[in-house]
Amino acid sequence: MIARNGMQKLRNGGKMRQIPISVAVACIATSPAMAADETPAGTANAPQWSLAVAGGSTVIDGGGDQPFLRVAMTRFLDEGYIYAAGTHFAVRDAFGVVDIVPASTWQAAIGGGRTFGKVTLDGYAAIGWRTFKGEEFLRRGGRAITIDSKGKTLSGGLSITYQIDLDERSALSPFVAGDISRIDTARAIEVAGRGTIAQEERQNSTTGSIGFTIDRLVGPEGDHRVEAYGGFVTTSNSAVSIRSSAPIDAARLFGPQDYPGFGQTWGEYGASATLTVAEPLLLDVSAVRTAGFRGGESTNLFAGLRYRF
């Protein structure tokens, strides 16, 4: 959200919003992309651009962690912003068949937002390309089966945030958000002695979330920011849900898996901080934990540096 009135310092030194990671196995960060920096104050000396580099991981109870790395560029436009971002996701410690097939995903996203009084609208659209690790099996009788897979992801979302000033340095910001996602997967299944079988699959999901953040500026001049977060999420297909419209970095989820999902609802809670390392350089950190996710909880960790100029 974009701070106003007593929260003006937050606009000058505020957070980078972002995508987030793994709902399919239980939770991040990462949004497509990155609905990113807050719009700076409209002064002659205000920065016009922001370059951000971030990384982190969804640490899943029981294994299957999903690390990521992201680069994004943001352009400030008075009471709004636009951005472009590229993200690489990976799945490690996974097993396939009954679990996630290890995969590498490259994702490109564009988005932006604008503030109207105390209401902020943010939106994004993203496309991704996935490459899966090859799978090999032996049938009874010793006949070998190999599976090579690749896929594409499409997603988009919108969030609406309303800011309620609590005092000169604090604000409560409830939000609602929605994301739609689609994953197309193509598989080449080679059976020894029988040739290759082509298989295509498409899965869709609709995901909604509601929650709040509480921001507090700290330091003698309010140069740093801390934030608490709580929310509820529901999705029609947890294996496809790509969620990048949450207001805190580590709550932006990226969750495509290689098996059919199911609808479910869960809670999540966390915290974030933005620290002014130097006048143009900011450090963003955040963590989010799921609560009630079927199949096991996860903790999402995020850290990034932003250079504003």
Side-chain angles (χ1 to χ4, degrees):
M1 75 289 317
I2 299 175
R4 308 185 68 80
N5 302 327
M7 297 293 286
Q8 188 70 40
K9 281 286 186 177
L10 180 57
R11 295 177 62 188
N12 294 330
K15 65 186 176 184
M16 169 184 63
R17 292 185 181 174
Q18 220 157 4
I19 249 159
I21 310 181
S22 202
V23 59
V25 266
C27 183
I28 184 177
T30 133
S31 202
M34 173 189 279
D37 299 83
E38 310 301 335
T39 305
T43 65
N45 296 325
Q48 301 299 310
W49 295 89
S50 173
L51 175 64
V53 178
S57 182
T58 296
V59 181
I60 301 161
D61 294 357
D65 298 351
Q66 183 172 319
F68 79 96
L69 179 66
R70 177 178 300 110
V71 177
M73 178 71 76
T74 301
R75 176 71 164 98
F76 302 122
L77 304 169
D78 296 325
E79 293 299 314
Y81 69 94
I82 56 175
Y83 73 88
T87 306
H88 178 257
F89 299 92
V91 174
R92 62 188 183 196
D93 301 330
F95 302 98
V97 188
V98 296
D99 207 329
I100 305 171
V101 177
S104 175
T105 302
W106 292 91
Q107 187 183 68
I110 58 173
R114 182 175 175 80
T115 293
F116 303 89
K118 291 185 175 295
V119 177
T120 299
L121 301 180
D122 298 285
Y124 76 93
I127 183 171
W129 297 267
R130 311 175 71 205
T131 302
F132 296 88
K133 182 179 179 180
E135 301 175 87
E136 296 183 356
F137 310 96
L138 287 177
R139 299 183 64 183
R140 292 178 181 177
R143 180 172 293 176
I145 299 176
T146 61
I147 303 176
D148 292 314
S149 306
K150 62 181 179 179
K152 180 181 292 185
T153 67
L154 297 170
S155 63
L158 178 69
S159 66
I160 304 174
T161 304
Y162 183 78
Q163 180 173 302
I164 303 170
D165 295 330
L166 302 178
D167 57 38
E168 292 186 352
R169 289 198 170 199
S170 304
L172 168 66
S173 300
F175 74 91
V176 294
D179 300 79
I180 55 174
S181 310
R182 190 182 90 185
I183 294 179
D184 297 321
T185 303
R187 297 181 179 88
I189 305 170
E190 184 176 349
V191 182
R194 297 187 61 182
T196 301
I197 302 171
Q199 181 184 83
E200 295 184 357
E201 177 184 290
R202 173 172 292 178
Q203 293 193 63
N204 299 282
S205 76
T206 302
T207 303
S209 57
I210 186 171
F212 68 92
T213 60
I214 299 177
D215 295 275
R216 175 72 179 176
L217 299 178
V218 297
E221 297 184 5
D223 292 331
H224 312 295
R225 192 200 95 260
V226 295
E227 179 181 52
Y229 164 76
F232 290 93
V233 185
T234 185
T235 183
S236 62
N237 188 341
S238 61
V240 181
S241 177
I242 301 175
R243 176 173 161 243
S244 297
S245 56
I248 182 173
D249 296 322
R252 297 174 182 271
L253 309 182
F254 183 89
Q257 297 188 11
D258 194 33
Y259 59 87
F262 44 80
Q264 68 167 305
T265 299
W266 70 95
E268 53 190 29
Y269 57 92
S272 72
T274 293
L275 308 176
T276 302
V277 179
E279 184 58 35
L281 187 64
L282 303 175
L283 170 65
D284 300 298
V285 295
S286 59
V288 166
R289 176 75 172 171
T290 60
F293 194 96
R294 193 190 325 175
E297 309 296 352
S298 71
T299 302
N300 305 300
L301 304 174
F302 170 93
L305 285 173
R306 260 185 303 144
Y307 181 76
R308 296 165 66 118
F309 56 95

